[in-house]
Amino acid sequence: EVHLVESGGGLVQTGGSLRLSCAASGFTFSSHWMNWVRQAPGKGLEWVANIKQDGRETRYVDSVKGRFTISRDNAKNSLYLQMNSLGGEDSAVYYCARGSLLAAGILDYWGQGSLVTVSS
Amino acid sequence: EIVLTQSPAILSLSPGERATLSCRASQSVVSYLAWYQHKPGQSPRLLIYDASNRATGIPDRFSGRGSGTDFTLTISSLEPEDFAVYYCQQRSNWPPYTFGQGTKVEIK
């Protein structure tokens, strides 16, 4: 059974940094694109970033470019999101989501999410 | 960036009724559109991919159709567990993948 478990969220001050992790199990992690998607309070879903199977290609939404870095460790079946220069607009539940083998942009399994709160 | 507009924002229906949700794209996404169900406190769940293909384990009361810019998700007969927020998402032109703002299906 596919499991994705996020961790690392919490309360951080404006301008601070946080690193999210996503532990994957139940599938061949190294075969899938992986994504981060977030949901701000009272808002809809927003795709944040993704990373190719070998980690050599990454893509970001414009609002986080230069501040967030997505990475992965296939030996540890883990996905990461390093978030720097955090602002209030980054407060959200962050979900780790697997890209389907059919296509990277079909997000077929999601974790339960990790809450990030940015406060001044 | 492709903008997806969902309508209505809120759909108030009773169990057993038919739900029809709409998603309109600002430009053609061909058939590269997915639908997700999201309940409070849970993770989003893939329902439909590539406009009309049900994901693994999704009941056949869920169906999708459309191409180009206009798409529909239909729930043929609402079960109590179907009351949730539904999002469409495109993967045709990325980055970024974009989502609609969601349609909440609530109990009337």
PDB file of all heavy atoms in Angstrom, chain B residues 47-63:
ATOM      1  N   LEU B  47      -9.754  11.183  -8.617  1.00  0.00           N
ATOM      2  CA  LEU B  47     -10.968  10.508  -9.092  1.00  0.00           C
ATOM      3  C   LEU B  47     -10.878  10.142 -10.566  1.00  0.00           C
ATOM      4  O   LEU B  47     -11.144   9.013 -10.968  1.00  0.00           O
ATOM      5  CB  LEU B  47     -12.183  11.421  -8.901  1.00  0.00           C
ATOM      6  CG  LEU B  47     -12.560  11.863  -7.506  1.00  0.00           C
ATOM      7  CD1 LEU B  47     -13.712  12.857  -7.583  1.00  0.00           C
ATOM      8  CD2 LEU B  47     -12.930  10.667  -6.640  1.00  0.00           C
ATOM      9  N   ILE B  48     -10.556  11.154 -11.363  1.00  0.00           N
ATOM     10  CA  ILE B  48     -10.598  11.046 -12.821  1.00  0.00           C
ATOM     11  C   ILE B  48      -9.313  11.636 -13.380  1.00  0.00           C
ATOM     12  O   ILE B  48      -8.854  12.684 -12.914  1.00  0.00           O
ATOM     13  CB  ILE B  48     -11.794  11.839 -13.405  1.00  0.00           C
ATOM     14  CG1 ILE B  48     -13.130  11.338 -12.853  1.00  0.00           C
ATOM     15  CG2 ILE B  48     -11.773  11.821 -14.933  1.00  0.00           C
ATOM     16  CD1 ILE B  48     -13.597  10.011 -13.406  1.00  0.00           C
ATOM     17  N   TYR B  49      -8.710  10.996 -14.367  1.00  0.00           N
ATOM     18  CA  TYR B  49      -7.577  11.577 -15.065  1.00  0.00           C
ATOM     19  C   TYR B  49      -7.823  11.567 -16.568  1.00  0.00           C
ATOM     20  O   TYR B  49      -8.632  10.771 -17.064  1.00  0.00           O
ATOM     21  CB  TYR B  49      -6.266  10.862 -14.708  1.00  0.00           C
ATOM     22  CG  TYR B  49      -6.207   9.422 -15.161  1.00  0.00           C
ATOM     23  CD1 TYR B  49      -5.670   9.081 -16.390  1.00  0.00           C
ATOM     24  CD2 TYR B  49      -6.684   8.389 -14.348  1.00  0.00           C
ATOM     25  CE1 TYR B  49      -5.615   7.773 -16.811  1.00  0.00           C
ATOM     26  CE2 TYR B  49      -6.635   7.081 -14.748  1.00  0.00           C
ATOM     27  CZ  TYR B  49      -6.102   6.766 -15.990  1.00  0.00           C
ATOM     28  OH  TYR B  49      -6.043   5.463 -16.396  1.00  0.00           O
ATOM     29  N   ASP B  50      -7.138  12.463 -17.250  1.00  0.00           N
ATOM     30  CA  ASP B  50      -7.301  12.601 -18.704  1.00  0.00           C
ATOM     31  C   ASP B  50      -8.772  12.672 -19.092  1.00  0.00           C
ATOM     32  O   ASP B  50      -9.225  11.998 -20.018  1.00  0.00           O
ATOM     33  CB  ASP B  50      -6.557  11.485 -19.435  1.00  0.00           C
ATOM     34  CG  ASP B  50      -5.044  11.633 -19.305  1.00  0.00           C
ATOM     35  OD1 ASP B  50      -4.591  12.691 -18.784  1.00  0.00           O
ATOM     36  OD2 ASP B  50      -4.316  10.718 -19.693  1.00  0.00           O
ATOM     37  N   ALA B  51      -9.483  13.494 -18.365  1.00  0.00           N
ATOM     38  CA  ALA B  51     -10.864  13.894 -18.635  1.00  0.00           C
ATOM     39  C   ALA B  51     -11.913  12.837 -18.310  1.00  0.00           C
ATOM     40  O   ALA B  51     -12.982  13.179 -17.781  1.00  0.00           O
ATOM     41  CB  ALA B  51     -11.027  14.358 -20.082  1.00  0.00           C
ATOM     42  N   SER B  52     -11.630  11.579 -18.614  1.00  0.00           N
ATOM     43  CA  SER B  52     -12.716  10.601 -18.516  1.00  0.00           C
ATOM     44  C   SER B  52     -12.316   9.248 -17.940  1.00  0.00           C
ATOM     45  O   SER B  52     -13.151   8.336 -17.898  1.00  0.00           O
ATOM     46  CB  SER B  52     -13.320  10.372 -19.910  1.00  0.00           C
ATOM     47  OG  SER B  52     -12.340   9.879 -20.801  1.00  0.00           O
ATOM     48  N   ASN B  53     -11.089   9.109 -17.504  1.00  0.00           N
ATOM     49  CA  ASN B  53     -10.617   7.813 -16.988  1.00  0.00           C
ATOM     50  C   ASN B  53     -10.703   7.772 -15.466  1.00  0.00           C
ATOM     51  O   ASN B  53     -10.087   8.599 -14.784  1.00  0.00           O
ATOM     52  CB  ASN B  53      -9.171   7.570 -17.429  1.00  0.00           C
ATOM     53  CG  ASN B  53      -9.036   7.500 -18.931  1.00  0.00           C
ATOM     54  OD1 ASN B  53      -9.406   6.514 -19.549  1.00  0.00           O
ATOM     55  ND2 ASN B  53      -8.537   8.566 -19.527  1.00  0.00           N
ATOM     56  N   ARG B  54     -11.459   6.808 -14.958  1.00  0.00           N
ATOM     57  CA  ARG B  54     -11.540   6.674 -13.496  1.00  0.00           C
ATOM     58  C   ARG B  54     -10.244   6.106 -12.945  1.00  0.00           C
ATOM     59  O   ARG B  54      -9.656   5.174 -13.509  1.00  0.00           O
ATOM     60  CB  ARG B  54     -12.704   5.754 -13.096  1.00  0.00           C
ATOM     61  CG  ARG B  54     -14.027   6.483 -12.908  1.00  0.00           C
ATOM     62  CD  ARG B  54     -15.078   5.556 -12.330  1.00  0.00           C
ATOM     63  NE  ARG B  54     -15.313   4.416 -13.200  1.00  0.00           N
ATOM     64  CZ  ARG B  54     -16.132   4.438 -14.240  1.00  0.00           C
ATOM     65  NH1 ARG B  54     -16.799   5.534 -14.531  1.00  0.00           N
ATOM     66  NH2 ARG B  54     -16.290   3.349 -14.958  1.00  0.00           N
ATOM     67  N   ALA B  55      -9.808   6.681 -11.830  1.00  0.00           N
ATOM     68  CA  ALA B  55      -8.619   6.175 -11.154  1.00  0.00           C
ATOM     69  C   ALA B  55      -8.945   4.846 -10.469  1.00  0.00           C
ATOM     70  O   ALA B  55     -10.113   4.476 -10.305  1.00  0.00           O
ATOM     71  CB  ALA B  55      -8.124   7.198 -10.132  1.00  0.00           C
ATOM     72  N   THR B  56      -7.903   4.163 -10.051  1.00  0.00           N
ATOM     73  CA  THR B  56      -8.056   2.859  -9.406  1.00  0.00           C
ATOM     74  C   THR B  56      -8.968   2.941  -8.194  1.00  0.00           C
ATOM     75  O   THR B  56      -8.792   3.805  -7.330  1.00  0.00           O
ATOM     76  CB  THR B  56      -6.677   2.327  -8.965  1.00  0.00           C
ATOM     77  OG1 THR B  56      -5.818   2.268 -10.103  1.00  0.00           O
ATOM     78  CG2 THR B  56      -6.805   0.959  -8.340  1.00  0.00           C
ATOM     79  N   GLY B  57      -9.967   2.080  -8.151  1.00  0.00           N
ATOM     80  CA  GLY B  57     -10.834   1.992  -6.984  1.00  0.00           C
ATOM     81  C   GLY B  57     -11.959   3.008  -6.924  1.00  0.00           C
ATOM     82  O   GLY B  57     -12.711   3.028  -5.944  1.00  0.00           O
ATOM     83  N   ILE B  58     -12.083   3.846  -7.926  1.00  0.00           N
ATOM     84  CA  ILE B  58     -13.133   4.871  -7.919  1.00  0.00           C
ATOM     85  C   ILE B  58     -14.447   4.272  -8.419  1.00  0.00           C
ATOM     86  O   ILE B  58     -14.477   3.673  -9.502  1.00  0.00           O
ATOM     87  CB  ILE B  58     -12.729   6.086  -8.772  1.00  0.00           C
ATOM     88  CG1 ILE B  58     -11.420   6.685  -8.237  1.00  0.00           C
ATOM     89  CG2 ILE B  58     -13.840   7.117  -8.791  1.00  0.00           C
ATOM     90  CD1 ILE B  58     -11.458   7.111  -6.772  1.00  0.00           C
ATOM     91  N   PRO B  59     -15.539   4.450  -7.663  1.00  0.00           N
ATOM     92  CA  PRO B  59     -16.826   3.856  -8.065  1.00  0.00           C
ATOM     93  C   PRO B  59     -17.322   4.422  -9.385  1.00  0.00           C
ATOM     94  O   PRO B  59     -17.038   5.574  -9.738  1.00  0.00           O
ATOM     95  CB  PRO B  59     -17.768   4.251  -6.924  1.00  0.00           C
ATOM     96  CG  PRO B  59     -16.906   4.663  -5.805  1.00  0.00           C
ATOM     97  CD  PRO B  59     -15.619   5.145  -6.372  1.00  0.00           C
ATOM     98  N   ASP B  60     -18.117   3.618 -10.098  1.00  0.00           N
ATOM     99  CA  ASP B  60     -18.546   4.050 -11.426  1.00  0.00           C
ATOM    100  C   ASP B  60     -19.657   5.091 -11.389  1.00  0.00           C
ATOM    101  O   ASP B  60     -20.109   5.549 -12.451  1.00  0.00           O
ATOM    102  CB  ASP B  60     -18.941   2.849 -12.296  1.00  0.00           C
ATOM    103  CG  ASP B  60     -20.089   2.049 -11.725  1.00  0.00           C
ATOM    104  OD1 ASP B  60     -20.685   2.490 -10.710  1.00  0.00           O
ATOM    105  OD2 ASP B  60     -20.389   0.975 -12.281  1.00  0.00           O
ATOM    106  N   ARG B  61     -20.090   5.518 -10.203  1.00  0.00           N
ATOM    107  CA  ARG B  61     -21.028   6.641 -10.161  1.00  0.00           C
ATOM    108  C   ARG B  61     -20.320   7.963 -10.494  1.00  0.00           C
ATOM    109  O   ARG B  61     -20.979   8.966 -10.767  1.00  0.00           O
ATOM    110  CB  ARG B  61     -21.727   6.750  -8.804  1.00  0.00           C
ATOM    111  CG  ARG B  61     -20.835   7.049  -7.625  1.00  0.00           C
ATOM    112  CD  ARG B  61     -21.656   7.125  -6.335  1.00  0.00           C
ATOM    113  NE  ARG B  61     -20.834   7.443  -5.163  1.00  0.00           N
ATOM    114  CZ  ARG B  61     -20.215   6.539  -4.437  1.00  0.00           C
ATOM    115  NH1 ARG B  61     -20.313   5.239  -4.759  1.00  0.00           N
ATOM    116  NH2 ARG B  61     -19.495   6.897  -3.389  1.00  0.00           N
ATOM    117  N   PHE B  62     -18.988   7.944 -10.463  1.00  0.00           N
ATOM    118  CA  PHE B  62     -18.194   9.113 -10.857  1.00  0.00           C
ATOM    119  C   PHE B  62     -17.832   8.971 -12.341  1.00  0.00           C
ATOM    120  O   PHE B  62     -17.289   7.953 -12.756  1.00  0.00           O
ATOM    121  CB  PHE B  62     -16.906   9.214 -10.045  1.00  0.00           C
ATOM    122  CG  PHE B  62     -17.116   9.552  -8.602  1.00  0.00           C
ATOM    123  CD1 PHE B  62     -17.228   8.544  -7.650  1.00  0.00           C
ATOM    124  CD2 PHE B  62     -17.199  10.873  -8.178  1.00  0.00           C
ATOM    125  CE1 PHE B  62     -17.425   8.847  -6.311  1.00  0.00           C
ATOM    126  CE2 PHE B  62     -17.384  11.191  -6.838  1.00  0.00           C
ATOM    127  CZ  PHE B  62     -17.505  10.171  -5.909  1.00  0.00           C
ATOM    128  N   SER B  63     -18.125  10.023 -13.114  1.00  0.00           N
ATOM    129  CA  SER B  63     -17.738   9.994 -14.519  1.00  0.00           C
ATOM    130  C   SER B  63     -17.307  11.392 -14.948  1.00  0.00           C
ATOM    131  O   SER B  63     -17.782  12.397 -14.416  1.00  0.00           O
ATOM    132  CB  SER B  63     -18.873   9.487 -15.404  1.00  0.00           C
ATOM    133  OG  SER B  63     -19.980  10.358 -15.339  1.00  0.00           O
TER     134      SER B  63
END
